[in-house]
Amino acid sequence: MTALLISNTVLWCVVLLLAVVVLGLMRQVGVLHARIAPVGALMLAKGLKIGEQAPVLSETTLGGAVRVLGAPRTDGLCTLLMFISPTCPVCKTLLPALRSSRRAEQTWLEIVLTSDGALPEQHAFVQAESLNEFPYVVSAALGLSYQVSRLPFAALVDEAGVLRARGLVNSREHLESLFEARRLGVASLQDYFDKAATAV
Amino acid sequence: MYLDSMIPALIAVSCAGLFASASGQKARAPREFVGQVAAYALVPRMAVTCVAYVLIALEMLVAVLLLPPRFRSLAAVTGSALFLLYGIGMLVNLSRGRRALDCGCMGPYAVRPIAYWMVWRNGALAVLLACAALPSAARPWAFTDVVTLLCGVAVIVVLYQTTDELFGRVLPAAKHLRTQT
């Protein structure tokens, strides 16, 4: 009887210890999830500041529609200006991410592709990559006003025409970091870490 | 066939702890709990305060009456009905699309939105507690039984917290990460 009691007690202690260890591990997994920071688009030092009014430009898309980019929108949608080029290989790898983001974020976002260069080449690019679903603007002025020095570059302008996020975008994670930046109310990954460091 | 008296005792003591903890949190801030009950939008406005106080009192009563075997069946059935009632309240609001509604499960100090897993949890707890109302075979308890009861309750408490952490925090965070990639 004594042996049974000892065995039972030891077993219960082991089970309790195991349960506590599982709980500790579960909490650590939760903490790890909370600490996984979003991968950020690379902010370029020069250019427009986040929170500034975006430059307002009236441009014609390849489809012939006139768009006033950067102005406050009445439909409540934000605008993602995606600066790409037919000669930029990284831009082509981003196109599937842009297509899926256009579908996934269509309730609050419109993606506008912008480029610069000869029109026949741009038309051929749009046809080859099946980009007809996007408004496509060819404008050197747009790139200059956003001070785009490298591609692919993206700028997120909110419904009031305020620049919310911008940066060099090389991957889907970089692209989505712009959406996250708007959601979290931060300008960039650096800003996110600075805020997190001050909060600790 | 009767259950061994250890099984209803384990369930009853564990659930008594859960009800005591929940009602204690609610009793510490009754006005806030009235607000939480009102937010469920299931009770007429004039009856909200009364219903909230009755719920706190019922939870306390169940927590106390689950302990003595004499009242265990009555308390188990009442507690089971409370779990089901809360589960149905959450299910109705989830079907209304109000996913941001505060659960109110542990009073106003543990704010968390309602979710389908909570409905399943309440259903499971209701079934488990109803088992404590089933007739059990009485037998004299030895010291080993006391060890089993104490350690069993401790393990159940830790496993409850682990499950809560898994479904309430870890899985939603993992789902959020999956949708980002």
Side-chain angles (χ1 to χ4, degrees):
Chain A
M1 187 65 190
T2 312
L4 186 66
L5 176 64
I6 291 169
S7 154
N8 204 7
T9 311
V10 169
L11 272 176
W12 271 120
C13 289
V14 171
V15 171
L16 187 58
L17 192 69
L18 198 62
V20 170
V21 169
V22 172
L23 176 63
L25 282 172
M26 194 64 72
R27 291 223 160 133
Q28 279 306 308
V29 173
V31 169
L32 279 176
H33 275 310
R35 286 189 184 167
I36 292 174
V39 182
L42 179 65
M43 284 279 284
L44 301 175
K46 64 172 190 175
L48 297 170
K49 295 275 181 295
I50 304 301
E52 277 183 359
Q53 204 67 33
V56 180
L57 285 110
S58 180
E59 300 288 350
T60 308
T61 66
L62 284 187
V66 177
R67 302 293 304 266
V68 184
L69 300 169
R73 295 181 62 141
T74 48
D75 56 9
L77 295 180
C78 296
T79 311
L80 181 82
L81 292 171
M82 189 72 216
F83 295 86
I84 55 172
S85 163
T87 55
C88 153
V90 184
C91 300
K92 287 181 187 168
T93 64
L94 264 180
L95 293 177
L98 285 170
R99 282 195 191 92
S100 65
S101 292
R102 192 188 75 83
R103 282 191 295 273
E105 317 292 341
Q106 61 183 339
T107 52
W108 67 275
L109 180 76
E110 184 190 33
I111 299 177
V112 177
L113 303 183
T114 86
S115 187
D116 184 18
L119 275 178
E121 193 186 357
Q122 301 292 348
H123 276 291
F125 179 57
V126 168
Q127 290 306 317
E129 300 294 340
S130 306
L131 297 176
N132 294 312
E133 59 193 299
F134 295 98
Y136 195 103
V137 174
V138 180
S139 163
L142 203 58
L144 286 171
S145 60
Y146 280 86
Q147 300 178 41
V148 179
S149 54
R150 293 181 207 171
L151 293 178
F153 184 90
L156 182 65
V157 180
D158 73 7
E159 64 278 14
V162 176
L163 183 67
R164 286 294 167 206
R166 67 180 181 88
L168 202 59
V169 172
N170 285 327
S171 65
R172 181 187 289 270
E173 285 74 20
H174 290 168
L175 181 68
E176 290 184 348
S177 81
L178 298 178
F179 308 155
E180 281 295 302
R182 174 185 166 271
R183 191 177 67 80
L184 298 169
V186 295
S188 65
L189 189 64
Q190 293 88 333
D191 188 21
Y192 175 84
F193 281 129
D194 286 348
K195 280 192 179 178
T198 3
V200 170
Chain B
M1 196 181 92
Y2 290 98
L3 290 172
D4 184 80
S5 58
M6 176 56 65
I7 294 167
L10 257 177
I11 297 170
V13 175
S14 305
C15 288
L18 184 63
F19 275 115
S21 163
S23 59
Q25 301 272 14
K26 288 163 189 166
R28 278 171 64 197
R31 281 187 188 176
E32 284 79 358
F33 182 61
V34 170
Q36 287 175 316
V37 173
Y40 270 79
L42 295 169
V43 182
R45 192 174 291 178
M46 57 191 293
V48 164
T49 310
C50 179
V51 168
Y53 280 92
V54 166
L55 286 175
I56 297 175
L58 269 178
E59 285 189 16
M60 285 180 168
L61 207 63
V62 168
V64 174
L65 294 185
L66 272 174
L67 298 176
R70 194 177 162 190
F71 302 109
R72 187 167 291 159
S73 293
L74 175 69
V77 170
T78 315
S80 196
L82 276 175
F83 281 135
L84 282 180
L85 185 73
Y86 294 151
I88 291 167
M90 284 189 261
L91 192 61
V92 169
N93 277 284
L94 283 168
S95 60
R96 287 173 177 167
R98 303 178 65 207
R99 289 170 184 249
L101 179 70
D102 177 22
C103 159
C105 310
M106 291 307 249
Y109 298 110
V111 178
R112 61 200 313 194
I114 54 171
Y116 280 106
W117 74 268
M118 290 178 176
V119 178
W120 284 104
R121 178 198 65 188
N122 276 35
L125 286 172
V127 171
L128 201 67
L129 190 53
C131 290
L134 296 173
S136 58
R139 63 169 173 83
W141 275 29
F143 183 65
T144 322
D145 292 312
V146 179
V147 173
T148 304
L149 183 67
L150 292 177
C151 294
V153 168
V155 169
I156 288 170
V157 167
V158 177
L159 287 181
Y160 180 84
Q161 284 183 319
T162 308
T163 316
D164 201 56
E165 187 82 8
L166 175 68
F167 288 102
R169 194 171 161 197
V170 174
L171 290 183
K175 191 180 171 187
H176 179 68
L177 279 179
R178 272 201 303 276
T179 53
Q180 279 189 323
T181 53

